[in-house]
C-alpha cells in the first residue's frame, strides 16, 4: 500500500509520501511516489502517486516524454509550459485515462486492479497554489477552503490528527509537523506503509521548493518528532480524567 | 458502519461500541450493538456485532431462544450454561454459520453483503477472561498476550492510540480511557460511526459487570475525556520541535 498526504494552506503547499510498494506482503519493494517538476521562478509542482504502479509509472513517462519533446518543439504542451494548474491537472488526467484505456482490461483479466490516483500540488506565476486529486477515470477534484487536505492510500490511521489541526490559516511549519505526525501514526499501525519518506514544501508565491528532501529511517529530526509526539500522547493520556469510580 | 473495540488485559475486559447503523448515508438508524449475558457470580459475557444487521440479529435470536428453552429443559446447551468460554465462541460461531447458510445466497442475489463479525468477551468461574472474534464463516480467533485487543467495523482511525497504550499490564482504568479516546477519534473522522455508546467492563474473577452503561451524546464524563484529549493533542502538537528552518 501507500500513504500520501497533501495540504493546501494560505501559506503554501506541503506534500509527504512513503515509499513502500507491495504486491502482497511477501513482495515488498521500495519505490518513490513523489516527483517534482520545476521552472525556477515560474512554477513548482509536486506529483504523488498511489495504486497500480505500472499505470502511475506510465502516466509519469507520458508527462516526461512531452517535456522532452517540448525542448525541440516548444509548441508541445506540457505540465511545465501549460497555462494554468487546472490545465496541469487536465493533462495528468488525460494521461491517466489513456493508460487505463490501454491496460485496464488486460490487467483485470489477470486478476489485478488497475485503479490508481494521483495528487498534483503546485503554483505557477500569476496563479494561486492549487491542489488536485486525480482519479482512475482521469476526472479530478480540487482542494478548497473547506477541505484543505487530500490523502491517498492508507488514509484512515492518519486522518484524526489532520482533522484536528489543518485549517487554511495553519502555518506552513504546523502543516509540515501535522503531515509528519499523520505519517508517524500510519507507519506505526500499518506495515504496508514504510520509510523512507519524501517531503516537499512549496511556499505561496515562491515558485520554488522550500523543502524537497528524502527523510531516511535514521533521520534525527523525524525521530525527534516521533518521540516527542509519543511522549505528548502518553502524558496527555495520563492526564485524562478517570472514568471508572 | 460500526466501530466496536474490545480489550483483554490482566485486570479484565473492556468493551465499547457505537450505535449507528446505515444502509447508505441517507438511511441512518440507531441499533444497539452490545449485548450482555449474566449468571451472577458464575459468568459475565458481552457480545458485540458488526456487519449485516439481519444476520447478527438472527444470531442473537438463536442464542436467546436456546436460553429460553433451557429454562424448561436444562439439557439444552446455551452460552450461559456451557462448559467454557471457548465453547461459547463455538456456539456463537455455529449460530453464525447457520444464518449464513440460510440467507447468504439470497442476500447476495439482492446485491447486498451478508458478511458479519461478532466479538465475545467474558469469563466463567474456573476459567480465565477470554476474548474471541468470530467471522462470517463461524470460525474464530482468540486475543492473546501479543494481541490484547480486537476491533471490528471502522477500526483504522482509532487504532493508533490503542497500538500505543494497550499492553497486557495496562490497568482497567487506562484500558477504559483508551477505548473512549479511540472511539472519540473515530467519531470525529467518520460520520458513519455515531453516539450514543455502550460500554461494559468485566474485571477479572468478578463474574460480574463493573460497568454496563450507555453513554449518551450529552454525557459529561465523555465530553470531558474528549475535550481533555483535544487539549492534550493541541498542546503536544504545539510543543513539537519545528522541522522547517
Amino acid at each position: 500500500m501507500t500513504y500520501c498526504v497533501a495540504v493546501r494552506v494560505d501559506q503554501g503547499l506541503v506534500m509527504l509520501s512513503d515509499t513502500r510498494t507491495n504486491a502482497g506482503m511477501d513482495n515488498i519493494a521500495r519505490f518513490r511516489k513523489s516527483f517534482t517538476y520545476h521552472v525556477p521562478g515560474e512554477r513548482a509542482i509536486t506529483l504523488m502517486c498511489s495504486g497500480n504502479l505500472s499505470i502511475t509509472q506510465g502516466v509519469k513517462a507520458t508527462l516526461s516524454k512531452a517535456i522532452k519533446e517540448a525542448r525541440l518543439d516548444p509548441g508541445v504542451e506540457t505540465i511545465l509550459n501549460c497555462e494554468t494548474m487546472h490545465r496541469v491537472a487536465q493533462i495528468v488526467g488525460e494521461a491517466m485515462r489513456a493508460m487505463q484505456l490501454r491496460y485496464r482490461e488486460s490487467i483485470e483479466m489477470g486478476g489485478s486492479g488497475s485503479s490508481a490516483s494521483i495528487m498534483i500540488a503546485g503554483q505557477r506565476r500569476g496563479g494561486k497554489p492549487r491542489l488536485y486529486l486525480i482519479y482512475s477515470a482521469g476526472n479530478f477534484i480540487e482542494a478548497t477552503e473547506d477541505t484543505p487536505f487530500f490523502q491517498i492510500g492508507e488514509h484512515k490511521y492518519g486522518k484524526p490528527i489532520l482533522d484536528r489541526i489543518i485549517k487554511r490559516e495553519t502555518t506552513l511549519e504546523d502543516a509540515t509537523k501535522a503531515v509528519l505526525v499523520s505519517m508517524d501514526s500510519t507507519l506505526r499501525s500499518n506495515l504496508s506503509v514504510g520509510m523512507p519518506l519524501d517531503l516537499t514544501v512549496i511556499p505561496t508565491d515562491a515558485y520554488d521548493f522550500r523543502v524537497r528532501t528524502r527523510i531516511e529511517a535514521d533521520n534525527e529530526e523525524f525521530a525527534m518528532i516521533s518521540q516527542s509526539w509519543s511522549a505528548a500522547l502518553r502524558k496527555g493520556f495520563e492526564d485524562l480524567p478517570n472514568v471508572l469510580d
Side-chain angles (χ1 to χ4, degrees), chain A residues 115-184:
Chain A
S115 75
S117 33
I118 292 179
M119 291 197 288
I120 287 279
Q123 187 184 12
R124 52 115 195 157
R125 188 174 285 274
K128 287 192 184 340
R130 301 282 188 187
L131 167 59
Y132 296 93
L133 171 53
I134 292 140
Y135 298 106
S136 291
N139 57 330
F140 54 86
I141 57 172
E142 186 185 354
T144 62
E145 286 166 20
D146 290 332
T147 303
F149 65 88
F150 285 151
Q151 305 166 282
I152 54 181
E154 276 293 352
H155 65 283
K156 294 187 180 183
Y157 305 103
K159 185 162 184 282
I161 186 66
L162 301 175
D163 281 334
R164 287 175 195 269
I165 300 289
I166 304 292
K167 317 240 174 315
R168 55 172 291 189
E169 309 82 28
T170 306
T171 63
L172 224 41
E173 282 73 14
D174 279 356
T176 305
K177 287 197 277 185
V179 298
L180 289 170
V181 167
S182 173
M183 180 64 79
D184 182 52

Side-chain angles (χ1 to χ4, degrees), chain A residues 49-168:
Chain A
C49 310
S50 80
N52 186 296
L53 186 64
S54 69
I55 294 283
T56 56
Q57 286 193 344
V59 170
K60 280 196 307 113
T62 309
L63 304 178
S64 299
K65 185 158 169 281
I67 291 169
K68 222 171 193 175
E69 283 171 7
R71 284 192 203 127
L72 300 172
D73 175 3
V76 175
E77 189 184 36
T78 76
I79 62 169
L80 286 184
N81 68 18
C82 66
E83 284 220 337
T84 62
M85 280 302 300
H86 188 264
R87 182 66 195 137
V88 170
Q90 278 182 342
I91 290 172
V92 176
E94 284 160 15
M96 172 76 92
R97 199 168 44 166
M99 286 299 294
Q100 294 285 357
L101 280 174
R102 193 183 304 170
Y103 291 110
R104 174 168 227 148
E105 209 175 334
S106 47
I107 291 174
E108 289 183 351
M109 249 162 49
S112 298
S114 73
S115 75
S117 33
I118 292 179
M119 291 197 288
I120 287 279
Q123 187 184 12
R124 52 115 195 157
R125 188 174 285 274
K128 287 192 184 340
R130 301 282 188 187
L131 167 59
Y132 296 93
L133 171 53
I134 292 140
Y135 298 106
S136 291
N139 57 330
F140 54 86
I141 57 172
E142 186 185 354
T144 62
E145 286 166 20
D146 290 332
T147 303
F149 65 88
F150 285 151
Q151 305 166 282
I152 54 181
E154 276 293 352
H155 65 283
K156 294 187 180 183
Y157 305 103
K159 185 162 184 282
I161 186 66
L162 301 175
D163 281 334
R164 287 175 195 269
I165 300 289
I166 304 292
K167 317 240 174 315
R168 55 172 291 189

Side-chain angles (χ1 to χ4, degrees), chain A residues 198-212:
Chain A
D198 290 311
L199 174 68
T200 50
V201 178
I202 304 175
T204 297
D205 296 341
Y207 317 109
D208 203 347
F209 300 94
R210 176 157 163 200
V211 177
R212 178 163 46 163

